[in-house]
Amino acid sequence: RRVVPAGGVYQSRVRLVQSQGSRGVKFTGPPQALSFPAAPLFTNCNYFPAEFSIVKDEYIFTLLDGGSDRLLLGLRLTRDKLPLCRVSEVGQLWFSTEEKGLFLCDGSMWITMLQERERLDYVEEHQDLFTTSETFDIEVFSIPSVGLFMATANRDLGSTVYRWTNGRFERYQDFSTHDAQAWKFFTVGREVEEVSLVYRWSNRTLRFVAYQKLNTPTARSSLWPITGKVREMNHNIESVIYKWNPNTRKFEVNQTIATSGAYDWEFFTIGPYHFLVVANTFNGKSTVINSTIYIWLGETTGAIDWEMFQIGNRFFLAVANSQRLDNTGSIQYNINSTIYELNMTSQTFIKFQDITTSSALDWEFFTVGDDKFLVVANSYDGNSYSLNSVIYRWQGYERFVPVHTLSTNGCRDWEFFTSSDGSYLISSSARQALSKILKLRTYRQH
């Protein structure tokens, strides 16, 4: 029942008990001096039994009470995220190759026993991706057993899907589009699709094929050029929510909602509740208009993008405000974008932090190790499109503080993704046919 350091012996007579996927080992019998060859895993214990070291790719070893079969100690291996820590898991030690650490379950939460913490050090250029034209939106997604992909919504000459190959994005499939504004990847059952022509992934051809055309003639077309010249069109129109009909296997109109120059929708859930928030951008005269969560939020100024994220048990919404255009025609580009926090008591979002931005068009939330970050796409300050986009790090009481500046040109969108060889950010430009992939260089901290 005890293991002594290198050079010692293990005092016990051993009887192995194996059941239901190598549940564990049980020690019984009178003491007797035995010695075992060490498993290579235990570098500081030369006499730990090698036969206890790996069982069926999951258990390293478990120790059961001889009288009741109660688990005294268990060490298990996982290559995925840690499972839920429950009372039944009390005493379980898990070594997580993904989290790169050793964790102990106390019945309600995992306690870090030994872990290397990954910290963001700096950002470096990884790949210049030349697109067919300016890119208004990027969508990064993964298809199980196939790989990591990225779709670009380009202004001219079609849009493209790229596949992550050997640490770089390579062109994979072209689409015939004109003035494409956004891609959105989603699943219906086991099928994967894209909008607003809806494309479905074909496992036979390993390509996206046209599946359904949605009647969205003015989708996002009400956005005016960033120079401030307003298009002559009706901005106050109804946006449409479509519902998947499993019988007809089509998307059908489910609900219409009055919007004003709606530029983005964000769907999210908090506990059992489901939310939709719209970014109302322009009503034909002014950008100082109300955006709605379906909870009421209040006034935004040229809202372009919403980003919902969670830190611990706190829930936030960040809005990218693009420009302030009042009824006199005066335009301001250097304005505040705002982060709101959900107040559980009042069940409303309360202003949490204002951050000065320059015609912000996108927020992207991401994590590296234990650190939380927001990166903003600054696009225009009234004089120039060559601006720095900024990475902000969550610092608790200090809120979000700027930590890195990234040179961009008319930045339209940021996306964060991870692969087997690290973490990356990719930005698109609405001013040039060039997207940039940046690698996040990290270091290990004990």
Side-chain angles (χ1 to χ4, degrees):
R1 295 210 178 206
R2 64 188 173 88
V3 178
V4 294
V9 294
Y10 185 89
Q11 297 287 338
S12 182
R13 182 186 301 275
V14 177
R15 177 168 63 89
L16 292 179
V17 177
Q18 183 174 359
S19 63
Q20 295 182 355
S22 299
R23 178 182 171 195
V25 296
K26 186 186 298 182
F27 302 105
T28 61
Q32 179 178 348
L34 299 172
S35 63
F36 300 87
L41 180 65
F42 300 94
T43 56
N44 295 320
C45 186
N46 292 342
Y47 290 92
F48 190 88
E51 55 263 51
F52 299 165
S53 58
I54 294 291
V55 181
K56 282 191 180 289
D57 234 15
E58 181 182 89
Y59 282 91
I60 297 178
F61 73 88
T62 57
L63 180 62
L64 305 178
D65 180 76
S68 64
D69 281 353
R70 181 173 62 89
L71 177 70
L72 298 177
L73 180 67
L75 177 59
R76 301 169 76 177
L77 174 70
T78 176
R79 293 173 176 84
D80 302 314
K81 291 185 181 298
L82 290 169
L84 185 66
C85 177
R86 298 168 295 192
V87 174
S88 59
E89 300 289 330
V90 171
Q92 286 278 13
L93 281 165
W94 282 78
F95 181 78
S96 171
T97 57
E98 180 175 284
E99 302 287 342
K100 297 181 174 62
L102 183 66
F103 302 86
L104 173 68
C105 176
D106 68 357
S108 61
M109 62 180 297
W110 290 102
I111 301 172
T112 301
M113 305 298 292
L114 176 65
Q115 183 182 24
E116 284 190 332
R117 300 185 183 277
E118 190 177 31
R119 302 294 301 272
L120 177 60
D121 193 3
Y122 61 94
V123 182
E124 68 175 7
E125 291 192 41
H126 179 74
Q127 180 185 359
D128 285 342
L129 189 67
F130 293 95
T131 52
T132 56
S133 65
E134 298 90 331
T135 300
F136 294 139
D137 181 72
I138 289 173
E139 180 80 351
V140 177
F141 57 95
S142 180
I143 297 178
S145 303
V146 181
L148 182 70
F149 294 86
M150 176 188 68
T152 62
N154 301 328
R155 189 189 70 177
D156 299 319
L157 303 176
S159 296
T160 304
V161 169
Y162 298 83
R163 185 178 183 180
W164 187 256
T165 306
N166 297 324
R168 298 175 66 85
F169 275 117
E170 304 289 346
R171 180 171 293 196
Y172 186 78
Q173 184 178 356
D174 294 322
F175 294 87
S176 177
T177 60
H178 177 69
D179 201 21
Q181 295 290 318
W183 285 99
K184 183 63 180 177
F185 175 81
F186 61 96
T187 62
V188 178
R190 296 183 178 181
E191 298 177 355
V192 292
E193 325 231 355
E194 307 278 325
V195 188
S196 188
L197 269 176
V198 179
Y199 294 88
R200 187 178 70 181
W201 176 259
S202 169
N203 288 320
R204 183 179 63 82
T205 63
L206 296 180
R207 291 289 189 273
F208 286 100
V209 295
Y211 183 73
Q212 181 182 357
K213 183 177 181 180
L214 301 179
N215 185 23
T216 56
T218 58
R220 271 206 186 179
S221 65
S222 59
L223 181 68
W224 66 97
I226 200 139
T227 57
K229 296 179 181 179
V230 181
R231 295 180 184 177
E232 295 295 329
M233 60 173 61
N234 181 20
H235 301 267
N236 302 305
I237 59 176
E238 290 190 331
S239 294
V240 182
I241 298 174
Y242 294 87
K243 183 178 180 180
W244 174 258
N245 186 327
N247 296 320
T248 63
R249 299 183 64 80
K250 298 288 185 180
F251 285 97
E252 300 174 354
V253 174
N254 181 72
Q255 182 183 356
T256 59
I257 297 177
T259 53
S260 298
Y263 199 83
D264 183 60
W265 286 95
E266 177 81 354
F267 172 79
F268 59 96
T269 60
I270 298 176
Y273 304 105
H274 305 277
F275 296 87
L276 267 178
V277 57
V278 62
N280 284 325
T281 306
F282 185 57
N283 63 9
K285 296 181 179 179
S286 174
T287 63
V288 184
I289 54 177
N290 291 318
S291 285
T292 305
I293 300 187
Y294 300 98
I295 289 182
W296 179 259
L297 182 60
E299 193 174 83
T300 54
T301 52
I304 290 290
D305 177 70
W306 286 102
E307 181 79 355
M308 184 270 173
F309 57 93
Q310 179 180 352
I311 299 177
N313 60 355
R314 303 170 68 178
F315 299 90
F316 298 88
L317 269 174
V319 61
N321 288 326
S322 62
Q323 51 196 277
R324 179 182 290 273
L325 172 66
D326 60 27
N327 292 323
T328 67
S330 174
I331 302 177
Q332 293 176 279
Y333 299 98
N334 299 310
I335 58 177
N336 287 334
S337 291
T338 303
I339 301 170
Y340 299 88
E341 182 177 7
L342 178 62
N343 184 307
M344 294 293 190
T345 303
S346 64
Q347 297 185 356
T348 56
F349 280 90
I350 307 299
K351 182 183 290 188
F352 175 76
Q353 182 180 0
D354 280 330
I355 295 177
T356 301
T357 55
S358 298
S359 194
L361 298 183
D362 183 60
W363 284 104
E364 178 79 357
F365 176 78
F366 63 96
T367 64
V368 176
D370 292 335
D371 293 327
K372 320 296 182 186
F373 298 91
L374 275 173
V375 58
V376 65
N378 286 322
S379 65
Y380 186 62
D381 65 1
N383 296 307
S384 175
Y385 297 95
S386 297
L387 301 174
N388 287 328
S389 292
V390 181
I391 297 177
Y392 298 85
R393 182 173 63 210
W394 170 257
Q395 291 191 185
Y397 183 76
E398 300 173 76
R399 305 187 179 186
F400 283 96
V401 299
V403 290
H404 295 283
T405 57
L406 310 172
S407 177
T408 53
N409 186 351
C411 188
R412 178 60 191 86
D413 187 28
W414 281 104
E415 290 291 329
F416 171 81
F417 68 94
T418 60
S419 71
S420 58
D421 59 346
S423 299
Y424 298 85
L425 283 170
I426 181 169
S427 66
S428 68
S429 171
R431 297 293 300 174
Q432 56 183 356
L434 174 65
S435 295
K436 297 189 77 69
I437 301 170
L438 308 177
K439 186 166 187 176
L440 306 184
R441 288 297 182 182
T442 61
Y443 64 93
R444 299 288 181 183
Q445 184 181 61
H446 295 278

